[in-house]
Amino acid sequence: AAGVIQSPRHLIKEKRETATLKCYPIPRHDTVYWYQQGPGQDPQFLISFYEKMQSDKGSIPDRFSAQQFSDYHSELNMSSLELGDSALYFCASSLEGTGSYEQYFGPGTRLTVT
Amino acid sequence: GEDVEQSLFLSVREGDSSVINCTYTDSSSTYLYWYKQEPGAGLQLLTYIFSNMDMKQDQRLTVLLNKKDKHLSLRIADTQTGDSAIYFCAERRWDYGGSQGNLIFGKGTKLSVKP
């Protein structure tokens, strides 16, 4: 079965640079979530989209933005990177419109800021 | 509050049962999830339960829910070395205002299985 795809899997950036993370949800899933997991931490919710509209925001810094495109893939844009942004970034997708609340996670993008 | 709490470590012998515990705080109806994370890997959805259920069983996994105490447990029968991982309990944030429900995670329980 198709899973959530994230790219790139690893990314190394320097402070003050920008980064773009991509997420391709499971086909026909209508909801995408972004989470950030710091080293040894639990995942923290950043932002979500339902049917290409932003549906909720969590602890996402103003330096970050995200959008979901017409083909349902989503991108997380991160600017003015800081050392503290080094983390594993997960995308998850679900099919909320039918009342199915299973959230499936992608393999994550490991971002290292030097 | 939105705290999900778990014990941080559990060590068992291969073949024994493992029981990982979690408490949640949301007083409304919600969904509760168990995820498994191996080192450097993503989060694998193991099972989930709606908060009006008492129990759910799926092969070696049994989820028990005590609604009164807001206590959730995951029992893994016949634990194998391949079960060594971090197990996260998560609660769906339920917003009747129309936004979708992100998950609130516990800190994770590191399960070590000794041969």
Side-chain angles (χ1 to χ4, degrees):
Chain A
V4 177
I5 297 171
Q6 291 187 247
S7 68
R9 293 293 309 277
H10 302 272
L11 191 57
I12 300 174
K13 291 285 186 178
E14 294 187 355
K15 281 195 309 183
R16 292 179 290 277
E17 286 192 318
T18 61
T20 297
L21 279 52
K22 296 185 179 183
C23 168
Y24 297 86
I26 292 172
R28 292 181 296 281
H29 277 196
D30 54 19
T31 305
V32 164
Y33 300 85
W34 286 95
Y35 294 85
Q36 178 193 58
Q37 185 179 32
Q41 302 295 312
D42 52 298
Q44 295 290 317
F45 169 67
L46 293 177
I47 194 167
S48 61
F49 294 86
Y50 172 67
E51 283 292 346
K52 294 163 279 185
M53 299 286 290
Q54 182 183 307
S55 55
D56 205 0
K57 284 179 82 168
S59 50
I60 183 169
D62 291 341
R63 299 176 290 109
F64 294 7
S65 65
Q67 56 184 323
Q68 188 176 27
F69 295 86
S70 58
D71 65 352
Y72 288 88
H73 94 271
S74 178
E75 295 183 3
L76 178 66
N77 299 293
M78 310 160 71
S79 63
S80 302
L81 287 169
E82 302 174 357
L83 295 178
D85 296 328
S86 294
L88 201 49
Y89 290 83
F90 287 111
C91 172
S93 75
S94 63
L95 185 56
E96 304 276 339
T98 62
S100 171
Y101 301 116
E102 301 168 35
Q103 282 191 30
Y104 293 95
F105 282 70
T109 294
R110 184 171 296 280
L111 173 66
T112 303
V113 181
T114 62
Chain B
E2 295 185 330
D3 284 343
V4 177
E5 296 189 354
Q6 304 178 236
S7 51
L8 295 182
F9 300 99
L10 177 65
S11 181
V12 301
R13 292 218 169 268
E14 193 173 19
D16 288 350
S17 291
S18 308
V19 179
I20 302 171
N21 296 302
C22 169
T23 57
Y24 63 101
T25 59
D26 197 330
S27 60
S28 58
S29 296
T30 188
Y31 285 84
L32 299 151
Y33 304 77
W34 285 103
Y35 285 87
K36 175 183 179 183
Q37 186 176 34
E38 296 182 70
L43 294 157
Q44 177 191 352
L45 176 62
L46 294 176
T47 187
Y48 70 108
I49 189 170
F50 188 53
S51 58
N52 69 351
M53 298 170 64
D54 296 323
M55 186 183 94
K56 183 176 181 181
Q57 187 158 4
D58 185 0
Q59 299 183 338
R60 292 192 297 125
L61 305 179
T62 303
V63 178
L64 293 177
L65 179 60
N66 180 325
K67 292 181 285 294
K68 175 175 167 291
D69 295 337
K70 295 190 173 58
H71 181 266
L72 182 74
S73 67
L74 174 69
R75 178 177 180 270
I76 305 173
D78 186 24
T79 313
Q80 303 297 306
T81 53
D83 294 323
S84 293
I86 297 176
Y87 290 80
F88 287 96
C89 170
E91 175 181 3
R92 178 185 172 90
R93 186 178 73 87
W94 204 265
D95 186 344
Y96 292 97
S99 61
Q100 304 306 309
N102 59 281
L103 301 184
I104 299 160
F105 287 84
K107 297 297 183 193
T109 299
K110 184 173 183 179
L111 174 65
S112 297
V113 182
K114 296 181 178 1

